[in-house]
Amino acid sequence: MAYLILLMLLGAGGITRLMIAQRRRQSELQTVEGFRMSLEAISQPAHVERSPAMNRFDQRRARATGTTAASHELDPERRAAARRRIEERRAARRSSLG
């Protein structure tokens, strides 16, 4: 029985605390300045530019390693070798299917 009374008192105290916090927040939003500040807090900055070359995984890896993302363009020899490997895989797949 004592636990039930304690639980009820704690619940009533928590609800009262939430109601008071809600009223404070509501009175803050009643002012024009408070409303504007709340909108600014939840809005995204307008000047954010996203780089199409860097995806989220690259951004996380750069943050984790502390390095900046560099352009990983292949030189012509490596590009040609990669194209040859891709064509070899395609040819092998075609020959195994038919």
Side-chain angles (χ1 to χ4, degrees):
M1 187 67 172
Y3 289 118
L4 181 60
I5 293 172
L6 182 62
L7 183 64
M8 296 297 276
L9 288 175
L10 286 175
I15 291 173
T16 305
R17 182 175 170 213
L18 287 173
M19 286 176 54
I20 291 171
Q22 181 184 11
R23 285 189 187 181
R24 283 184 190 156
R25 188 72 175 145
Q26 195 69 21
S27 67
E28 181 181 322
L29 288 178
Q30 295 301 322
T31 65
V32 174
E33 185 67 23
F35 183 72
R36 186 184 62 79
M37 288 174 50
S38 296
L39 285 179
E40 286 177 0
I42 62 172
S43 67
Q44 290 184 352
H47 63 278
V48 174
E49 295 180 16
R50 295 185 184 252
S51 171
M54 180 182 273
N55 61 20
R56 282 187 184 167
F57 179 75
D58 291 337
Q59 290 173 351
R60 284 190 211 132
R61 182 173 33 194
R63 271 191 302 240
T65 60
T67 61
T68 58
S71 177
H72 298 295
E73 293 186 22
L74 297 175
D75 53 285
E77 297 88 24
R78 289 181 64 194
R79 185 180 298 264
R83 284 186 181 157
R84 279 193 304 271
R85 285 192 304 271
I86 291 171
E87 286 303 319
E88 288 172 3
R89 284 187 210 129
R90 287 181 183 160
R93 191 178 314 137
R94 283 186 209 126
S95 66
S96 69
L97 292 176

